[in-house]
Amino acid sequence: MASFSQVLNPMTGQNTWQERGDDYDYHQEVANAGFGDMLHDWERNQKYDAALRKTIAAMRQAGKPVHVLDIGTGTGILSMMALRAGADTVTACEAFMPMANCAARIFTANAAEQVRLIRKRSTDIKIGVDMPHKANLLVAELLDTELIGEGAIGIYNHAHQHLLTEDAVCIPARATCYAQVAQSPLAAQWNSLKILANLDGDILLRPPAQLAQCSGEAALHDVQLSQLPSHSFRALSKPVEIFKFDFKRKQERKLQRENVLRVELCAPGTIELVFYWWEIDMDNDGEILLSCAPYWAHPELMQLQLNCVDKERPVANVVPWRDHWMQAIYYIPKPLQMPDATEPFWLSCYHDEYSLWFDAHKGQAPTKPVARHSCSCDLHMTYTRSRIGQLNQGTRNKRYLSYLEEALLDAKTEPVHLLVLGDGCLLGLAGAALGAATVRCLEPHRFSRRLLESITKHNQLTNVTFLDSIKELEAKDLANLTHIFAEPYFLNAILPWDNFYFGTLLLQLLEKLPPAVKISPCAARIYALPVEFLDLHKIRAPIVSCEGFDLKLFDNMVQQSAEEALSLVEPQPLWEYPCRALAQPQEILSIDFANFGLEQQKQGQLALSAAGPCNGIALWVDWQLVANNSPKSVVSTGPIEPVKPGEFVKWDMFVRQGVHFINQTESTTTDGKKRLEWSTTFKPLLGDLSFTFSLNAIHEKKE
């Protein structure tokens, strides 16, 4: 059976009906569950196994029976480890039904049928009904980047109260959370709005008072901290311990806590943000440590460097890679200037049942707790972190402003009437400040529009009008238009080319426009680059086996669901995921916005010129502002430096690129030459843009 679901097409802006099988939601949930990423985390797996072996052996030596409870078993890997290590009984619970059913089959395939599987949440388990008796060893992986975001506190409290014996042991045994205060103009761009100036440095737009007074969002900004360029931040303190969580204690863990610390600064500066991570003691003795620290603070960095087989691997990538546990940035509500590093500085740290937040003080310690802050200015609640950073991106803004200044050179003699298409286009407002006679901004989204209206009012721009729809443009308005401008950026866009919605809007106008109207960007090009990811490909790579257990059943389930529910290209912020270029980028589609409705089908091939396994294709869009060959008239969403095959690519940090992962069953060895064969099909009226990629060996003719 199949059903029809309404789906928004970001390129056309229209809701369309798509036929989907009754099990579509199931496949989508399975494909995006993220279990594969965890199972590729070799350090996690090895240290869980080592802790289970050590703990069970010690319990045996002490003459205790070993009854294990595995909460959130997933594939059942931890339950099978416990059984192999000598547990008397193992009970596994898993509430995600597709995963629970898969775990049952995996237990059978690995001769681990002794594991009792309970298909429900641990908080719904009843002793005497689901379990014959309480467990005395709890093994669980209930943690996320924030440590407590998946409800670990409540789950542990319930387990100790209802499911575990008085002397129960837990793996992991403890967690310690760390914070490091820092200053970073780069990271600050993700959290605030800068003054926008013209190419001569004259101020065009000032943020209104509501932005300066806003505390921002307390929500974490999860990020691979090790990939932040070392020159982009200054650590103003050493890492400090802020919270401990003892998972094995019987006493109830508090759902909310406050910790105000006097922190010793190692340098003067402005306290803008907090870097956050955690580490866990896997065993009760604290001998087996797993740390999520960035490389510069990792307690085992030297040993990891010694053990690393790939001696060319950058030091930032020597620490074990994982995407399920990352690090986080928390932004201080009001950046605090500390010109004297010896002045007393206090860091206020808070957590509730699911999240953390921070504040900073100097002089005396605060006497009152600080409530969790939230956005009051519309900026943080409307735009993503990357979009806020993009609004502040100097090089990008200069390209657009250069175009606008050139377009407005004759504004004094020939009035410029500007139509701005896009969400939150501050550069369009800059056109008003640069001298456009009229500026009409299409802003259908309530909060985005409210923000831009406040900026317009604050900067006393009287020549700006906001539109909910293009249909509001009257014939006389269209007849007077001289320029149409876009960044382009739309809130519904996920992949870079979703912003071709700009072309869809133009199609509604082209026949009504004066012949001389100028459109920018005038063109767009999509580029493809075959790459060797150091680690990112693991999120889609099969597991096969993990710590000696056969997980091919899991691979088959995920692969089937991925084929049913996942797009062949997914968005990723590639600056966080290092990759080497294996060739020069190749253009695979070119769009002329004056002829946007034209259907296209392209195909080609690209020989890989650098050694290394090709495990992914990176894709991005270059926007051509004017019809010339100058690189300064191009705004790229891809590499920020020329690509050199064999070397690491430096990516734009304020946008997500597209990634197609090469099927790991294809031949991706380094032996022999290979070529990438590709095809692109573009149907703009349907909002359909599809790619196919195939990696094939090049067979050289023998003479």
Side-chain angles (χ1 to χ4, degrees):
M1 293 292 292
S3 59
F4 289 89
S5 300
Q6 268 200 334
V7 178
L8 177 68
N9 185 314
M11 197 182 298
T12 65
Q14 299 296 315
N15 284 311
T16 58
W17 291 98
Q18 290 190 3
E19 184 179 359
R20 288 175 170 172
D22 287 343
D23 53 1
Y24 176 82
D25 289 341
Y26 156 82
H27 287 304
Q28 191 173 49
E29 199 167 0
V30 168
N32 290 297
F35 290 101
D37 174 31
M38 292 185 287
L39 293 166
H40 279 293
D41 185 349
W42 60 267
E43 183 189 36
R44 166 193 177 273
N45 302 331
Q46 290 178 8
K47 290 188 173 180
Y48 263 103
D49 193 31
L52 279 163
R53 290 177 185 273
K54 176 186 175 182
T55 302
I56 291 173
M59 293 174 73
R60 283 278 186 218
Q61 191 173 3
K64 294 182 178 181
V66 182
H67 301 295
V68 177
L69 173 61
D70 174 10
I71 294 180
T73 194
T75 59
I77 189 76
L78 300 183
S79 289
M80 293 188 292
M81 287 178 179
L83 197 64
R84 183 173 63 184
D88 293 295
T89 65
V90 180
T91 300
C93 77
E94 176 58 59
F96 181 37
M97 202 56 62
M99 202 67 251
N101 295 335
C102 182
R105 296 193 296 272
I106 289 174
F107 289 148
T108 300
N110 287 275
E113 296 96 334
Q114 305 99 304
V115 175
R116 176 193 297 267
L117 179 62
I118 302 173
R119 292 172 169 86
K120 60 172 65 174
R121 295 179 182 274
S122 65
T123 51
D124 294 330
I125 290 177
K126 305 294 182 184
I127 299 298
V129 178
D130 303 300
M131 292 172 59
H133 48 71
K134 291 184 176 182
N136 62 351
L137 173 56
L138 172 63
V139 61
E141 205 276 66
L142 305 170
L143 313 176
D144 67 351
T145 292
E146 214 162 4
L147 186 79
I148 57 176
E150 294 183 1
I153 299 176
I155 294 171
Y156 273 106
N157 284 345
H158 177 272
H160 277 288
Q161 186 175 357
H162 299 284
L163 307 177
L164 303 177
T165 61
E166 290 295 321
D167 62 345
V169 181
C170 291
I171 298 174
R174 288 173 297 276
T176 306
C177 302
Y178 291 92
Q180 184 174 27
V181 295
Q183 177 177 1
S184 174
L186 171 66
Q189 288 184 212
W190 286 313
N191 191 54
S192 60
L193 196 60
K194 290 182 177 180
I195 289 172
L196 184 64
N198 66 12
L199 300 181
D200 294 326
D202 301 321
I203 294 174
L204 296 175
L205 298 176
R206 295 179 185 273
Q210 69 192 60
L211 270 75
Q213 295 165 2
C214 180
S215 298
E217 285 289 339
L220 84 163
H221 180 186
D222 53 339
V223 69
Q224 299 281 0
L225 275 184
S226 289
Q227 302 309 316
L228 270 182
S230 58
H231 61 79
S232 69
F233 69 92
R234 282 201 310 140
L236 301 182
S237 77
K238 294 181 179 178
V240 293
E241 179 184 310
I242 57 171
F243 291 115
K244 270 190 176 296
F245 292 86
D246 188 344
F247 297 130
K248 63 180 178 54
R249 59 176 288 194
K250 288 299 290 185
Q251 293 88 348
E252 190 170 78
R253 279 140 288 273
K254 292 183 178 180
L255 300 183
Q256 296 186 2
R257 283 190 293 170
E258 170 191 1
N259 188 13
V260 180
L261 299 170
R262 180 166 179 174
V263 177
E264 183 178 337
L265 298 180
C266 55
T270 301
I271 311 297
E272 295 176 319
L273 42 91
V274 171
F275 293 151
Y276 168 86
W277 63 88
W278 50 261
E279 63 185 31
I280 46 178
D281 291 325
M282 301 300 296
D283 63 315
N284 197 39
D285 299 325
E287 295 177 350
I288 305 172
L289 177 73
L290 189 152
S291 176
C292 290
Y295 77 92
W296 68 79
H298 202 286
E300 298 175 334
L301 179 62
M302 291 183 63
Q303 189 61 43
L304 289 166
Q305 285 181 292
L306 288 173
N307 295 339
C308 184
V309 176
D310 181 4
K311 299 305 178 184
E312 295 183 2
R313 197 174 180 91
V315 64
N317 301 98
V318 168
V319 299
W321 179 85
R322 50 182 64 100
D323 213 40
H324 57 108
W325 298 332
M326 300 168 69
Q327 300 83 36
I329 296 174
Y330 293 88
Y331 298 93
I332 298 298
K334 301 293 179 186
L336 185 65
Q337 293 185 356
M338 296 294 295
D340 181 1
T342 63
E343 186 178 1
F345 166 69
W346 302 86
L347 182 66
S348 296
C349 314
Y350 306 88
H351 79 76
D352 57 22
E353 189 173 358
Y354 300 102
S355 59
L356 294 95
W357 65 97
F358 298 85
D359 205 352
H361 317 268
K362 63 179 177 180
Q364 296 182 340
T367 56
K368 295 181 180 180
V370 175
R372 182 179 172 85
H373 50 280
S374 60
C375 174
S376 60
C377 74
D378 293 326
L379 177 72
H380 309 88
M381 64 184 293
T382 304
Y383 305 124
T384 62
R385 296 287 185 191
S386 58
R387 172 57 176 167
I388 295 172
Q390 192 179 64
L391 290 171
N392 294 313
Q393 195 174 0
T395 302
R396 171 185 172 278
N397 287 348
K398 284 179 182 178
R399 297 272 168 95
Y400 284 116
L401 287 170
S402 179
Y403 164 78
L404 287 170
E405 290 192 6
E406 183 69 24
L408 290 160
L409 276 177
D410 299 325
K412 292 182 180 179
T413 56
E414 298 180 12
V416 170
H417 299 281
L418 184 64
L419 174 62
V420 179
L421 303 179
D423 298 328
C425 185
L426 293 183
L427 291 161
L429 293 187
L434 285 167
T438 62
V439 176
R440 292 177 174 84
C441 298
L442 180 65
E443 277 290 345
H445 295 272
R446 175 185 171 192
F447 296 118
S448 181
R449 177 170 177 165
R450 194 166 69 184
L451 174 63
L452 263 66
E453 285 177 337
S454 69
I455 295 172
T456 301
K457 182 178 179 180
H458 181 70
N459 290 276
Q460 300 179 345
L461 302 176
T462 58
N463 52 345
V464 177
T465 304
F466 292 96
L467 309 172
D468 282 323
S469 168
I470 278 183
K471 295 178 181 178
E472 294 179 30
L473 287 167
E474 298 180 4
K476 62 178 182 178
D477 300 326
L478 293 170
N480 288 333
L481 277 182
T482 59
H483 294 75
I484 297 178
F485 172 77
E487 298 189 29
Y489 171 83
F490 297 93
L491 286 167
N492 291 325
I494 299 173
L495 290 159
W497 42 88
D498 288 343
N499 290 306
F500 287 177
Y501 182 52
F502 172 61
T504 299
L505 292 172
L506 282 175
L507 282 177
Q508 302 175 43
L509 297 173
L510 287 175
E511 293 181 357
K512 307 172 186 177
L513 294 175
V517 70
K518 295 179 180 178
I519 298 172
S520 181
C522 62
R525 297 179 180 86
I526 298 179
Y527 286 89
L529 176 66
V531 298
E532 176 196 357
F533 286 112
L534 292 188
D535 297 293
L536 181 62
H537 62 289
K538 296 173 185 175
I539 66 175
R540 296 288 174 239
I543 308 299
V544 184
S545 67
C546 179
E547 298 304 308
F549 298 105
D550 184 349
L551 296 183
K552 289 193 287 291
L553 285 167
F554 168 76
D555 290 337
N556 294 338
M557 180 184 74
V558 172
Q559 181 62 32
Q560 180 185 357
S561 290
E563 291 173 358
E564 293 286 340
L566 286 186
S567 170
L568 291 176
V569 178
E570 58 186 76
Q572 295 288 348
L574 289 185
W575 73 268
E576 295 187 55
Y577 304 106
C579 62
R580 295 185 179 95
L582 299 180
Q584 285 291 338
Q586 186 170 98
E587 179 187 308
I588 61 172
L589 186 69
S590 178
I591 302 294
D592 177 3
F593 284 114
N595 296 287
F596 182 71
L598 180 67
E599 290 193 5
Q600 298 187 58
Q601 188 164 4
K602 305 285 185 181
Q603 59 185 21
Q605 59 184 38
L606 174 63
L608 275 58
S609 56
C614 178
N615 49 34
I617 312 297
L619 300 116
W620 66 92
V621 174
D622 279 3
W623 304 95
Q624 187 79 32
L625 302 190
V626 294
N628 63 31
N629 295 321
S630 171
K632 291 187 177 181
S633 66
V634 174
V635 175
S636 178
T637 61
I640 59 173
E641 293 182 2
V643 171
K644 297 180 180 179
E647 297 186 11
F648 287 100
V649 185
K650 292 187 178 180
W651 296 98
D652 185 328
M653 298 178 68
F654 302 101
V655 70
R656 292 184 296 182
Q657 292 76 29
V659 178
H660 169 83
F661 291 105
I662 297 294
N663 190 324
Q664 297 299 293
T665 59
E666 295 183 30
S667 174
T668 57
T669 65
T670 55
D671 301 328
K673 296 181 179 180
K674 291 189 169 54
R675 68 170 177 263
L676 177 71
E677 297 180 356
W678 58 265
S679 67
T680 307
T681 302
F682 181 46
K683 298 178 180 179
L685 299 182
L686 299 176
D688 181 18
L689 177 57
S690 59
F691 310 94
T692 61
F693 298 99
S694 177
L695 193 65
N696 300 298
I698 298 176
H699 301 287
E700 297 182 352
K701 294 181 179 179
K702 295 182 179 180
E703 295 184 0

